Every structure is written in C-alpha cells, then in structure tokens.
Amino acid sequence: MHRVWFITGASSGFGRALAEAVLTRGDSAVVSARRKDALDRLAIAHAQSALAIGLDVTDAEARSKAVEAALARFGRIDVLANIAGRGSLGAAEEFEPEQLRDQMEVNFFAAAEMTRAVLPAMRAQRSGHILQLTSIGGLVSIGGFGPYCASKFALEGWSEALRDEVKPHGVRVTIVEPGAFRTEFAGPANMRPARRLDAYRPVIDPIEAYLYGGDGKQPGDPAKAAEAMIAVVESDDPPLRLLLGADAIGLLEQKQAAFSAELARWRQIGEATGFKGVDAAPIGG
C-alpha cells in the first residue's frame, strides 16, 4: 500500500531516519523542519515523492499552511509522525519559568496542535495513523529530566485519550517511546537551565556525565527505530505504545515492579477512603 507521510523534525535523528526509510520504500512524504536547507538534498533525491517544508511546529499559521500544502500536493495524509521535539537537563529549580513553558510548547502543544490540524482530513478519509514520539521519559521520570518528562507525560496522557476518540473514525494512534539513541538529543539544542545551584550537584552531575559523556555511544540505532515505526503502521493490530530499546524496556519494568509493590503496601488505606455502602463504579463508565 502506498502511503503519504507527514513527518516533523525530519532534518536529523529519528525524523531523518524515518523520512529516508519511507521514501526509499516508495512512499510519499512531506518532510518538515525548522531548517529547510537540511531537507533539500532529500527532496531532490526523491523529487516525485517528497515535499520539503520549512516548519516551526510552534507557529500556528505555519502548521496550517504546511497541512494545506501537503493536501494540495498529495491529496491525503495517511500517517502523521510528530517527531520534532527538544530535550532538557537540569534540576527543576534551576530553570526559569519561560524555559518550562518553552519545553511544553515544543514537546506537547506543538504536537497536539499538529495532530488537530491533520485530523479533519483523516476523519474525512476514514483512515490514518498518528505516531507520537515521546520517550521512555514519558513513562518514567528521573531527577534532572523533570521539565522534559513533564512535557512527554502530557503528550502520553493526551494521546491515550485521543486513541479512544478517533478509533471510531478509522484513525489509529501509537505512542513511540525510545530509550537512548544516537540522535542530537544531547547536542547543542538540548536546553540547559538558566542557573546552576550547588545544592543539586550530587544529583545532577552524574546525570550530566551519563547524557553528555555518552553522546555518540548510545546503543539505539535510529534507522532500526524507523523500521519499527513502519512495522507498526503496516500492522493490522498496532500497539498503543511502542517501546524502543532494551534500556527503555528495562527501566519501565523496574518502575512497574516498584509501583506494584508500593500499591500492595498502601492499597488498604487507599481503598478505605470511600463512603460506606457505596460501590466504586469504573472510572469513565
């Protein structure tokens, strides 16, 4: 089946790997990024099937025009891959309020609004697949990654609800949660806090050594991640969540074990908070 993909953040990392993979296999793709010049070579190599667009995903007008251009060129959008995003590392108290809002704007609001911009076309064609790139940091938060994980947790919750809403319209949703991959996550685009507080060095310094010291040596291969995302889109029964990397899977398993143990320890107190004689109905009906 020939598909039309709309990929944000296609100039590097996961976005670039996914764009190259889908174009090589013969699909069409709208490839977008802030740096359009980084997309030109890809667009030239696939002149008949690629449309390169310079796109700041936080710009509402630019998002609308990009979707219009995609539909004008290809007539449909089968897959929206929200890949664009930005990382950060630092203690919660070290960031300025504007930095926290910027993190949410790029990683959550932009992806949510990009999705909303594409949904009318997908509902009209009664088909589509939305890939939301979050992170294992969308399921597990670690000291030093609070702002980043908050933005990814938000996109996870929003996308899980979205899955229920769009399923009757033939639209699927998959949340992609990678661990450490060789992308630009730890590069200059990674947001550093406005100040450094000595009080947090014992917690933050080891995390900085892990992230910045391991850049270029991460175990994850973006090209293989791209193939996994394509496999999800081609599946007749795609998952809501796709964890990528043994490190991501292992970290989630640790959290699940700790959560189960804590729940068992405090369950009786939690269940005893209801009114007597009133049964607890399932949340959501």
Side-chain angles (χ1 to χ4, degrees):
M1 175 183 173
H2 180 273
R3 293 181 175 85
V4 177
W5 297 65
F6 192 118
I7 304 170
T8 69
S11 61
S12 64
F14 292 113
R16 183 74 178 202
L18 183 59
E20 290 174 347
V22 301
L23 289 169
T24 297
R25 66 193 288 110
D27 283 350
S28 298
V30 178
V31 290
S32 67
R34 284 175 181 263
R35 301 172 295 170
K36 182 178 177 296
D37 59 315
L39 305 171
D40 289 342
R41 184 180 300 178
L42 189 63
I44 291 171
H46 300 274
Q48 301 303 313
S49 55
L51 173 63
I53 296 178
L55 174 62
D56 176 355
V57 291
T58 66
D59 185 325
E61 183 178 359
R63 289 191 301 261
S64 179
K65 288 182 177 179
V67 172
E68 290 174 2
L71 294 173
R73 171 70 181 272
F74 298 113
R76 62 187 294 116
I77 297 173
D78 298 302
V79 185
L80 169 63
N82 277 317
I83 307 296
R86 185 184 187 187
S88 62
L89 174 55
E93 193 180 344
E94 294 179 324
F95 289 94
E96 292 298 322
E98 311 85 69
Q99 291 185 297
L100 300 180
R101 288 179 172 83
D102 285 346
Q103 184 78 101
M104 293 297 296
E105 191 67 43
V106 174
N107 288 357
F108 172 65
F109 287 111
E113 291 301 329
M114 196 74 226
T115 301
R116 281 157 42 92
V118 168
L119 275 176
M122 288 186 171
R123 284 191 293 102
Q125 67 198 28
R126 302 291 298 176
S127 66
H129 203 137
I130 298 162
L131 298 178
Q132 307 281 35
L133 184 74
T134 63
S135 165
I136 183 57
L139 293 170
V140 182
S141 190
I142 298 173
F145 292 110
Y148 173 74
C149 290
S151 67
K152 295 300 189 179
F153 267 62
L155 188 55
E156 291 262 345
W158 189 84
S159 299
E160 189 168 339
L162 180 71
R163 181 270 310 263
D164 295 341
E165 296 165 1
V166 300
K167 185 177 180 179
H169 301 283
V171 181
R172 298 168 167 179
V173 177
T174 296
I175 306 165
V176 182
E177 300 146 335
F181 277 71
R182 293 185 194 180
T183 67
E184 295 182 0
F185 181 84
N190 188 276
M191 185 188 296
R192 272 65 167 179
R195 55 182 175 157
R196 291 171 66 88
L197 300 176
D198 290 342
Y200 295 108
R201 290 303 98 204
V203 174
I204 303 301
D205 284 349
I207 299 295
E208 287 184 341
Y210 159 77
L211 184 66
Y212 301 130
D215 192 24
K217 303 176 229 178
Q218 299 95 329
D221 181 348
K224 292 180 180 178
E227 293 300 327
M229 286 186 261
I230 292 171
V232 162
V233 170
E234 292 184 341
S235 173
D236 292 331
D237 185 23
L240 171 62
R241 288 184 166 86
L242 175 68
L243 273 86
L244 299 178
D247 54 349
I249 294 170
L251 187 57
L252 179 60
E253 289 175 336
Q254 289 178 28
K255 177 175 180 175
Q256 288 175 327
F259 181 80
S260 295
E262 189 170 74
L263 175 62
R265 203 163 59 244
W266 289 90
R267 180 169 193 153
Q268 186 174 0
I269 289 177
E271 289 181 336
T273 56
F275 286 103
K276 291 184 178 180
V278 179
D279 292 332
I283 293 175

